[in-house]
DNA sequence: TATCAACACTGTCAAGTCCGAAGTATAGCA
DNA sequence: TGCTATACTTCGGACTTGACAGTGTTGATA
């Protein structure tokens, strides 16, 4: 940490930290997208996400939703109807994460179209 | 898209998009951390990243750096010395991604300490 | 009466990805 | 001659993912 360029000090403290639980979670397939999609479409059902993504496998989407719910980032509400209905939405206090991630997805998509 | 709560329209366009190349990349182990660590410590060497993370396997770090370099997010400079020296830094125009990701890592770390 | 559709998953197996440990190449130093 | 330093690569096994088929319930349709 001497003659290196450094954006700012707070970043220096956080950036190279070891894998934390949440980042581990976000590093799985479709985790980021799922989070943002739920934030945008909420309340959203399993089938809606499946068709929105188009190419997720049902097992992956299922376990991703399970992971995120278990981690407290999503809420799952099940209604006793036939056919069954399950709705997902962001947990009350996790909306902020989605707000941080959306620009990342925006960036990625913009890059996709320009490069 | 009728009575659903929607944060804003631009988010609705981007959030539930299918997996794009960049997001695919970021969804691999240590990709987000590597990007942010390079942004913070640049120019940074392989060994520095390895010790900074502490628990990455060398093979994973190696392939992650390769992925990010190949995708044009990182620059790799090799010097003909013994022992060898290789330096990584963010590509000129990719600094903005790191700026978007740092808050995500901050959020994750803060959550880690409060929960 | 038999079948089908709708929905939210779960189960299974093959393929891909990741980890930890050991190995590679090179030159200076003891 | 062996040790050190560096930036990787290779290998076998473990874990994750994808494709596809199946589950359970009830109302609608043939």
């Amino acid at each position: 940490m001497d003659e290196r360029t450094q954006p700012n000090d707070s970043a220096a403290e956080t950036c190279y930290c070891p894998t934390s639980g949440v980042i581990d979670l976000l590093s799985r397939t479709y985790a980021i997208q799922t989070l943002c999609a739920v934030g945008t479409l909420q309340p959203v059902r399993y089938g809606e996400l499946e068709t929105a993504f188009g190419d997720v496998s049902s097992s992956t989407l299922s376990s991703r939703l399970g992971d995120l719910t278990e981690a407290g980032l999503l809420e799952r509400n099940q209604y006793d109807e036939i056919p069954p209905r399950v709705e997902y939405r962001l947990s009350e206090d996790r909306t902020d994460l989605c707000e941080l991630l959306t620009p990342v997805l925006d960036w990625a998509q913009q890059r996709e179209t320009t490069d």
Side-chain angles (χ1 to χ4, degrees), chain A residues 29-81:
Chain A
T29 4
Y30 281 97
I32 295 177
Q33 291 103 315
T34 301
L35 215 48
C36 284
V38 172
T40 307
L41 302 171
Q42 66 182 336
V44 64
R45 304 174 64 169
Y46 181 94
E48 289 178 293
L49 290 171
E50 205 168 23
T51 56
F53 290 140
D55 55 353
V56 223
S57 70
S58 53
S59 47
T60 302
L61 179 57
S62 173
S63 59
R64 210 56 58 233
L65 286 169
D67 293 345
L68 295 170
T69 304
E70 195 181 2
L73 299 176
L74 295 184
E75 268 175 28
R76 196 190 106 112
N77 291 306
Q78 184 171 357
Y79 301 88
D80 284 339
E81 302 173 1

Side-chain angles (χ1 to χ4, degrees), chain A residues 75-93:
Chain A
E75 268 175 28
R76 196 190 106 112
N77 291 306
Q78 184 171 357
Y79 301 88
D80 284 339
E81 302 173 1
I82 296 293
R85 181 160 65 102
V86 176
E87 285 182 352
Y88 293 91
R89 60 184 76 215
L90 294 181
S91 302
E92 203 60 37
D93 52 335

